[in-house]
Amino acid sequence: MAIFTPKPLSKSHSLENPSEDYKASRRLEQYRISSLAIYFPAFPGTQYLSFQSLSKALTRNTSLPLTGCCGKALPVTRLRLYYDGGEFYQDFTFEKLAAANEALDTIAAARPELPLEREERTQSAI
């Protein structure tokens, strides 16, 4: 539950009632997503990125190093959302490719005209 009213990341688009939309959103790994926005933890509270502010969305398989520069890595999928005319972007990291694709599907349903790039390769440890 959000303690503070969620704040918009985009300067050009904000929701009329982000608290109600947050309550109606569903959990998707460590994020929350609704039909209007994606919410993520930030200090001090929660921020969101409205789908109306997006100019492009893409997913890419990548990895997080577990032991520094060399050694084991955790395979993850990055969802990158470009907003405010493509001038800025925000990355969201998902453990599972299916969760990132679910987020991309939700964005595509809200904004069918938005350019999307979907990762087709399966995740693997790099």
Side-chain angles (χ1 to χ4, degrees), residues 25-69:
S25 66
R26 69 184 188 285
R27 186 173 252 326
L28 191 59
E29 291 193 7
Q30 70 267 31
Y31 309 108
R32 297 197 60 90
I33 194 163
S34 72
S35 61
L36 301 175
I38 186 166
Y39 297 86
F40 54 97
F43 184 79
T46 302
Q47 283 191 318
Y48 68 89
L49 194 51
S50 167
F51 296 154
Q52 291 303 313
S53 69
L54 301 181
S55 55
K56 183 179 178 181
L58 57 90
T59 56
R60 292 287 181 263
N61 285 335
T62 188
S63 62
L64 293 175
L66 299 175
T67 58
C69 67

Side-chain angles (χ1 to χ4, degrees), residues 68-80:
C69 67
C70 304
K72 296 181 181 181
L74 177 68
V76 295
T77 301
R78 177 186 69 220
L79 170 66
R80 180 168 283 180

Side-chain angles (χ1 to χ4, degrees), residues 61 97 119-124:
N61 285 335
L97 178 61
E119 180 67 71
E120 299 297 330
R121 298 175 296 142
T122 58
Q123 288 176 310
S124 63

